[in-house]
Amino acid sequence: MTTQTQHSALDVQLHVLSALILRDIRTRFGRTMWGYAIAVGWPSAHVCVLFTIMTIRHMPTPLGDSLILFVASGAVPFVTFTYSARKIMEATPSAKPLMSFPQVKYLDIILARGCVEFASAFMSASLIFLIMAAIGTDVIPQDPMRAVLAFLTTLFFGISTGVLCANITTFFPPFAMGFALFTILLYAMSGVFFTPEGLPPVFYNAMLYNPMANLIMAFRSAFYSGYGADGSLFYSFSVAMIFLLSGLALARFVTQRL
Protein backbone atom coordinates (compact mmCIF):
# COMPACT_ATOMS: atom_id res chain seq x y z
CA MET A 1 0.00 0.00 0.00
CA THR A 2 2.77 2.38 0.94
CA THR A 3 4.71 1.56 -2.24
CA GLN A 4 1.62 2.17 -4.37
CA THR A 5 1.05 5.49 -2.65
CA GLN A 6 4.65 6.51 -3.28
CA HIS A 7 4.39 5.55 -6.96
CA SER A 8 1.13 7.46 -7.24
CA ALA A 9 2.68 10.59 -5.69
CA LEU A 10 5.68 10.29 -8.00
CA ASP A 11 3.43 9.97 -11.06
CA VAL A 12 1.51 13.07 -10.03
CA GLN A 13 4.76 14.96 -9.49
CA LEU A 14 6.10 13.95 -12.91
CA HIS A 15 2.84 14.97 -14.59
CA VAL A 16 2.93 18.33 -12.84
CA LEU A 17 6.56 18.87 -13.85
CA SER A 18 5.96 17.96 -17.51
CA ALA A 19 2.89 20.21 -17.63
CA LEU A 20 4.85 23.11 -16.16
CA ILE A 21 7.68 22.59 -18.68
CA LEU A 22 5.24 22.64 -21.61
CA ARG A 23 3.46 25.69 -20.21
CA ASP A 24 6.78 27.47 -19.71
CA ILE A 25 7.84 26.83 -23.32
CA ARG A 26 4.51 27.86 -24.81
CA THR A 27 3.99 31.01 -22.74
CA ARG A 28 7.57 32.27 -23.20
CA PHE A 29 8.28 31.25 -26.80
CA GLY A 30 4.86 30.87 -28.41
CA ARG A 31 3.26 27.77 -29.90
CA THR A 32 5.54 27.62 -32.95
CA MET A 33 9.14 26.47 -33.16
CA TRP A 34 10.27 29.92 -34.30
CA GLY A 35 9.73 31.45 -30.89
CA TYR A 36 11.98 28.89 -29.25
CA ALA A 37 14.48 29.19 -32.13
CA ILE A 38 14.83 32.91 -31.41
CA ALA A 39 15.45 32.20 -27.73
CA VAL A 40 18.14 29.64 -28.61
CA GLY A 41 19.74 31.91 -31.21
CA TRP A 42 19.80 35.04 -29.07
CA PRO A 43 23.02 34.12 -27.22
CA SER A 44 24.64 33.56 -30.63
CA ALA A 45 23.81 37.15 -31.52
CA HIS A 46 25.47 38.24 -28.28
CA VAL A 47 28.73 36.54 -29.29
CA CYS A 48 28.52 37.98 -32.81
CA VAL A 49 28.05 41.53 -31.49
CA LEU A 50 31.00 41.19 -29.12
CA PHE A 51 33.18 39.76 -31.91
CA THR A 52 32.15 42.60 -34.26
CA ILE A 53 33.02 45.26 -31.69
CA MET A 54 36.44 43.77 -31.04
CA THR A 55 37.07 43.44 -34.79
CA ILE A 56 36.09 47.05 -35.52
CA ARG A 57 38.39 48.25 -32.76
CA HIS A 58 41.19 46.09 -34.21
CA MET A 59 41.81 44.47 -30.86
CA PRO A 60 44.53 41.81 -30.96
CA THR A 61 43.81 38.23 -29.97
CA PRO A 62 45.17 37.71 -26.43
CA LEU A 63 45.38 33.93 -27.00
CA GLY A 64 45.91 31.89 -30.13
CA ASP A 65 45.24 33.02 -33.69
CA SER A 66 41.43 33.09 -33.78
CA LEU A 67 39.69 36.13 -32.32
CA ILE A 68 36.24 34.59 -32.59
CA LEU A 69 37.33 31.48 -30.67
CA PHE A 70 38.76 33.66 -27.92
CA VAL A 71 35.54 35.70 -27.76
CA ALA A 72 33.32 32.59 -27.75
CA SER A 73 35.38 30.80 -25.10
CA GLY A 74 34.70 33.71 -22.75
CA ALA A 75 31.20 34.73 -23.82
CA VAL A 76 29.62 31.27 -23.87
CA PRO A 77 30.15 30.60 -20.13
CA PHE A 78 29.07 34.11 -19.14
CA VAL A 79 25.96 34.12 -21.35
CA THR A 80 25.05 30.64 -20.08
CA PHE A 81 25.28 31.86 -16.49
CA THR A 82 23.43 35.14 -17.08
CA TYR A 83 20.53 33.75 -19.06
CA SER A 84 19.92 30.74 -16.81
CA ALA A 85 20.12 32.78 -13.59
CA ARG A 86 17.87 35.57 -14.86
CA LYS A 87 15.22 33.31 -16.38
CA ILE A 88 14.93 31.17 -13.27
CA MET A 89 14.70 34.31 -11.16
CA GLU A 90 11.78 35.45 -13.34
CA ALA A 91 9.98 32.10 -13.11
CA THR A 92 8.02 32.60 -9.89
CA PRO A 93 6.34 35.99 -10.58
CA SER A 94 4.91 34.78 -13.91
CA ALA A 95 3.73 31.45 -12.44
CA LYS A 96 2.35 32.74 -9.16
CA PRO A 97 -1.32 31.96 -10.06
CA LEU A 98 -0.41 28.30 -10.55
CA MET A 99 0.46 27.95 -6.87
CA SER A 100 -3.24 28.13 -6.06
CA PHE A 101 -3.40 24.49 -7.22
CA PRO A 102 -2.50 22.12 -4.37
CA GLN A 103 -0.41 19.87 -6.64
CA VAL A 104 1.88 22.71 -7.75
CA LYS A 105 4.64 23.62 -5.34
CA TYR A 106 7.10 26.48 -5.41
CA LEU A 107 10.01 24.16 -6.15
CA ASP A 108 8.10 22.54 -9.04
CA ILE A 109 8.04 25.88 -10.86
CA ILE A 110 11.76 26.46 -10.33
CA LEU A 111 12.63 22.88 -11.34
CA ALA A 112 10.56 23.15 -14.53
CA ARG A 113 12.26 26.40 -15.50
CA GLY A 114 15.64 24.83 -14.70
CA CYS A 115 14.94 21.96 -17.12
CA VAL A 116 14.00 24.42 -19.87
CA GLU A 117 17.10 26.54 -19.28
CA PHE A 118 19.34 23.46 -19.28
CA ALA A 119 18.07 22.43 -22.72
CA SER A 120 18.20 26.00 -24.05
CA ALA A 121 21.77 26.59 -22.83
CA PHE A 122 23.00 23.34 -24.37
CA MET A 123 21.41 24.12 -27.74
CA SER A 124 22.62 27.73 -27.72
CA ALA A 125 26.23 26.70 -27.04
CA SER A 126 26.02 24.01 -29.71
CA LEU A 127 24.65 26.53 -32.23
CA ILE A 128 27.47 28.99 -31.53
CA PHE A 129 30.18 26.41 -32.10
CA LEU A 130 28.42 25.00 -35.18
CA ILE A 131 28.37 28.48 -36.73
CA MET A 132 32.06 28.91 -35.90
CA ALA A 133 32.88 25.54 -37.45
CA ALA A 134 30.89 26.46 -40.56
CA ILE A 135 33.05 29.55 -41.15
CA GLY A 136 36.24 27.54 -40.82
CA THR A 137 37.18 27.95 -37.16
CA ASP A 138 38.75 24.99 -35.39
CA VAL A 139 36.37 24.53 -32.46
CA ILE A 140 37.58 21.13 -31.26
CA PRO A 141 38.88 21.62 -27.69
CA GLN A 142 42.25 20.15 -26.80
CA ASP A 143 40.70 18.87 -23.57
CA PRO A 144 37.05 17.99 -24.35
CA MET A 145 36.33 16.62 -20.87
CA ARG A 146 37.41 19.87 -19.19
CA ALA A 147 35.29 21.87 -21.64
CA VAL A 148 32.20 19.78 -20.81
CA LEU A 149 32.83 19.93 -17.06
CA ALA A 150 33.37 23.71 -17.18
CA PHE A 151 30.16 24.21 -19.19
CA LEU A 152 28.08 21.99 -16.87
CA THR A 153 29.53 23.69 -13.78
CA THR A 154 28.71 27.08 -15.29
CA LEU A 155 25.14 25.99 -15.97
CA PHE A 156 24.83 24.62 -12.44
CA PHE A 157 26.18 27.89 -11.05
CA GLY A 158 23.63 29.86 -13.10
CA ILE A 159 20.72 27.68 -11.99
CA SER A 160 21.83 27.80 -8.34
CA THR A 161 22.16 31.58 -8.47
CA GLY A 162 18.73 31.79 -10.07
CA VAL A 163 17.17 29.63 -7.33
CA LEU A 164 18.62 31.87 -4.62
CA CYS A 165 17.69 35.09 -6.41
CA ALA A 166 14.16 33.85 -7.15
CA ASN A 167 13.51 33.46 -3.43
CA ILE A 168 14.98 36.85 -2.58
CA THR A 169 12.97 38.54 -5.36
CA THR A 170 9.75 37.00 -4.07
CA PHE A 171 9.79 39.04 -0.87
CA PHE A 172 12.02 41.89 -2.16
CA PRO A 173 11.13 42.64 -5.82
CA PRO A 174 13.69 45.51 -6.30
CA PHE A 175 16.42 42.88 -6.00
CA ALA A 176 15.77 41.88 -9.64
CA MET A 177 16.91 45.29 -10.86
CA GLY A 178 19.94 45.17 -8.58
CA PHE A 179 20.90 41.76 -9.96
CA ALA A 180 20.65 43.04 -13.55
CA LEU A 181 23.01 45.90 -12.72
CA PHE A 182 25.35 43.53 -10.91
CA THR A 183 25.64 41.27 -13.97
CA ILE A 184 26.87 44.28 -15.98
CA LEU A 185 29.60 44.83 -13.41
CA LEU A 186 30.35 41.10 -13.35
CA TYR A 187 30.66 41.14 -17.13
CA ALA A 188 33.57 43.57 -16.88
CA MET A 189 35.22 41.72 -14.00
CA SER A 190 35.17 38.12 -15.21
CA GLY A 191 37.66 38.18 -18.09
CA VAL A 192 35.22 37.71 -20.96
CA PHE A 193 37.26 39.78 -23.43
CA PHE A 194 40.64 39.86 -21.71
CA THR A 195 42.99 37.50 -19.86
CA PRO A 196 43.20 38.15 -16.09
CA GLU A 197 46.83 37.01 -16.05
CA GLY A 198 47.83 40.35 -17.57
CA LEU A 199 46.56 42.28 -14.55
CA PRO A 200 48.73 43.31 -11.58
CA PRO A 201 49.04 40.48 -9.02
CA VAL A 202 46.80 42.18 -6.44
CA PHE A 203 43.90 42.45 -8.95
CA TYR A 204 44.53 39.00 -10.38
CA ASN A 205 44.42 37.39 -6.93
CA ALA A 206 41.18 39.26 -6.18
CA MET A 207 39.63 37.99 -9.43
CA LEU A 208 40.27 34.42 -8.36
CA TYR A 209 37.54 34.88 -5.74
CA ASN A 210 35.07 35.50 -8.57
CA PRO A 211 33.42 32.16 -9.50
CA MET A 212 32.69 33.34 -13.04
CA ALA A 213 36.32 34.29 -13.62
CA ASN A 214 37.31 30.76 -12.58
CA LEU A 215 34.70 29.21 -14.86
CA ILE A 216 35.77 31.27 -17.88
CA MET A 217 39.44 30.47 -17.26
CA ALA A 218 38.60 26.77 -16.92
CA PHE A 219 36.51 26.73 -20.09
CA ARG A 220 39.21 28.58 -22.05
CA SER A 221 41.91 26.27 -20.75
CA ALA A 222 40.21 23.44 -22.65
CA PHE A 223 40.98 25.23 -25.93
CA TYR A 224 44.38 26.74 -25.12
CA SER A 225 47.10 24.44 -23.85
CA GLY A 226 49.00 25.77 -20.85
CA TYR A 227 46.43 28.44 -20.02
CA GLY A 228 44.17 28.83 -16.99
CA ALA A 229 45.93 26.64 -14.46
CA ASP A 230 44.43 28.75 -11.64
CA GLY A 231 40.84 28.35 -12.84
CA SER A 232 39.20 26.18 -10.18
CA LEU A 233 36.02 24.30 -11.06
CA PHE A 234 35.85 22.95 -7.51
CA TYR A 235 35.70 26.47 -6.05
CA SER A 236 32.93 27.54 -8.44
CA PHE A 237 31.01 24.31 -7.80
CA SER A 238 31.29 24.86 -4.03
CA VAL A 239 29.90 28.39 -4.31
CA ALA A 240 27.10 27.12 -6.55
CA MET A 241 26.23 24.42 -4.00
CA ILE A 242 26.10 27.02 -1.21
CA PHE A 243 23.77 29.19 -3.34
CA LEU A 244 21.54 26.22 -4.14
CA LEU A 245 21.25 25.03 -0.53
CA SER A 246 20.58 28.60 0.62
CA GLY A 247 17.88 28.99 -2.02
CA LEU A 248 16.25 25.69 -1.11
CA ALA A 249 16.32 26.59 2.59
CA LEU A 250 14.67 29.94 1.86
CA ALA A 251 12.07 28.21 -0.29
CA ARG A 252 11.29 25.69 2.44
CA PHE A 253 11.18 27.93 5.50
CA VAL A 254 10.45 31.44 4.17
CA THR A 255 9.19 31.81 0.61
CA GLN A 256 6.63 29.00 0.63
CA ARG A 257 5.07 30.36 3.81
CA LEU A 258 4.89 33.85 2.39
Side-chain angles (χ1 to χ4, degrees):
M1 186 70 177
T2 304
T3 304
Q4 292 179 348
T5 303
Q6 290 175 347
H7 281 297
S8 177
L10 180 60
D11 290 339
V12 171
Q13 203 69 26
L14 291 175
H15 284 304
V16 169
L17 186 61
S18 60
L20 288 174
I21 291 174
L22 290 175
R23 175 193 177 275
D24 194 14
I25 294 174
R26 289 178 178 176
T27 55
R28 288 171 58 196
F29 311 120
R31 294 181 177 273
T32 65
M33 66 176 183
W34 298 111
Y36 192 66
I38 292 173
V40 171
W42 194 252
S44 304
H46 182 105
V47 175
C48 291
V49 169
L50 186 58
F51 171 70
T52 302
I53 292 174
M54 295 183 70
T55 303
I56 292 174
R57 296 183 61 186
H58 301 288
M59 296 181 65
T61 305
L63 290 172
D65 301 322
S66 174
L67 179 61
I68 190 170
L69 180 61
F70 175 80
V71 171
S73 62
V76 166
F78 190 84
V79 169
T80 298
F81 160 75
T82 305
Y83 277 66
S84 58
R86 191 174 73 241
K87 293 303 181 182
I88 290 178
M89 183 175 62
E90 296 171 354
T92 49
S94 61
K96 195 173 289 186
L98 294 176
M99 284 185 275
S100 60
F101 295 97
Q103 295 89 350
V104 180
K105 303 296 188 295
Y106 182 83
L107 290 179
D108 294 332
I109 295 172
I110 292 179
L111 184 59
R113 179 62 63 91
C115 292
V116 175
E117 292 308 315
F118 179 87
S120 300
F122 178 78
M123 286 188 286
S124 296
S126 300
L127 178 61
I128 291 172
F129 283 98
L130 283 174
I131 293 173
M132 291 167 56
I135 62 176
T137 305
D138 183 11
V139 298
I140 304 300
Q142 298 181 12
D143 189 348
M145 182 59 67
R146 186 164 176 80
V148 172
L149 287 176
F151 179 78
L152 292 177
T153 306
T154 303
L155 186 56
F156 177 60
F157 180 58
I159 292 175
S160 301
T161 304
V163 171
L164 177 60
C165 293
N167 286 277
I168 298 175
T169 305
T170 300
F171 53 83
F172 186 61
F175 180 82
M177 180 61 69
F179 180 78
L181 296 175
F182 175 73
T183 55
I184 298 175
L185 179 63
L186 191 66
Y187 187 86
M189 295 173 55
S190 299
V192 176
F193 46 85
F194 66 93
T195 53
E197 289 83 354
L199 297 174
V202 62
F203 293 109
Y204 176 69
N205 292 330
M207 280 192 67
L208 293 179
Y209 289 98
N210 177 359
M212 271 313 304
N214 282 269
L215 290 168
I216 291 174
M217 291 170 64
F219 189 72
R220 272 201 178 122
S221 69
F223 296 89
Y224 300 99
S225 179
Y227 171 78
D230 294 331
S232 174
L233 290 178
F234 177 76
Y235 170 73
S236 301
F237 180 83
S238 300
V239 175
M241 185 61 70
I242 292 172
F243 284 3
L244 179 62
L245 294 177
S246 300
L248 294 177
L250 283 174
R252 175 66 178 84
F253 299 107
V254 179
T255 310
Q256 194 161 306
R257 296 183 180 183
L258 290 175

